[in-house]
Amino acid sequence: MTKKIRRQASKEKAIDRAIWLTFKHRRKLKNFGVVQSSQGDCLIIEHPHASFSESEFEPLPDDYSQMDYSHIKRIGMDEDPLMHWEEIKGMVSTMHGEVLRFILKYNVPLEKFIRFELANRGHDENHKWVGFKKAEEIWLK
């Protein structure tokens, strides 16, 4: 079976997509990486890949805690945004400005709201049904 190779002009967007694909396919233990192609674009491929050595893969960040405003600006200006960024941007951009200012002013713990919501859905970190009690144990630590 041939592994699908995806192309992306922007290295930053290729890395974003590889991170998302790795997250999306985590239950299947699939990992994705980015390799610079000879045409100057980037390839997003399942890692490891028989055609590429370990040293050819771009390093991927562990998280987005160091994301800067210029990255967010490029996401916002992207004509064909990645689905997960479009969802996150849409969630924030449709919120009333006073609510956004309130969140920042009073350091509202959005992570806790997200964890509470996930606990109420009854799934674990890998979207496997575990029931509400177990989901509370997982998410509300």
Side-chain angles (χ1 to χ4, degrees):
M1 183 171 119
T2 307
K3 295 180 180 181
K4 184 176 180 182
I5 296 178
R6 299 160 177 91
R7 292 185 172 273
Q8 187 63 55
S10 158
K11 182 166 81 171
E12 180 180 69
K13 190 171 177 180
I15 288 171
D16 286 348
R17 187 164 187 198
I19 292 169
W20 173 255
L21 288 170
T22 297
F23 177 79
K24 181 179 173 184
H25 296 286
R26 67 196 179 279
R27 289 177 71 178
K28 297 175 187 171
L29 302 177
K30 289 185 177 184
N31 289 301
F32 292 82
V34 174
V35 175
Q36 196 81 38
S37 81
S38 57
Q39 288 89 21
D41 61 355
C42 293
L43 306 176
I44 302 110
I45 55 179
E46 196 171 336
H47 187 268
H49 194 280
S51 301
F52 301 98
S53 72
E54 189 71 32
S55 63
E56 294 174 285
F57 283 86
E58 295 288 334
L60 301 182
D62 293 328
D63 61 40
Y64 283 100
S65 62
Q66 301 303 309
M67 178 185 270
D68 59 21
Y69 291 116
S70 62
H71 189 169
I72 294 168
K73 183 177 183 179
R74 285 187 295 278
I75 290 167
M77 295 173 63
D78 193 345
E79 291 180 10
D80 184 27
L82 298 172
M83 179 275 307
H84 64 287
W85 288 139
E86 191 171 30
E87 288 282 327
I88 293 168
K89 185 180 177 296
M91 178 179 65
V92 174
S93 67
T94 57
M95 227 182 249
H96 194 288
E98 282 295 276
V99 174
L100 294 171
R101 285 183 279 279
F102 178 84
I103 290 168
L104 291 178
K105 169 79 176 169
Y106 294 101
N107 296 311
V108 175
L110 294 181
E111 180 179 341
K112 289 182 180 179
F113 275 83
I114 294 167
R115 288 178 169 283
F116 187 81
E117 179 60 30
L118 289 169
N120 286 334
R121 294 180 183 194
H123 293 87
D124 70 4
E125 304 92 331
N126 293 313
H127 196 62
K128 180 181 170 203
W129 174 257
V130 293
F132 300 111
K133 185 170 175 49
K134 180 67 176 170
E136 272 192 28
E137 293 171 18
I138 292 168
W139 294 109
L140 304 183
K141 334 178 190 181

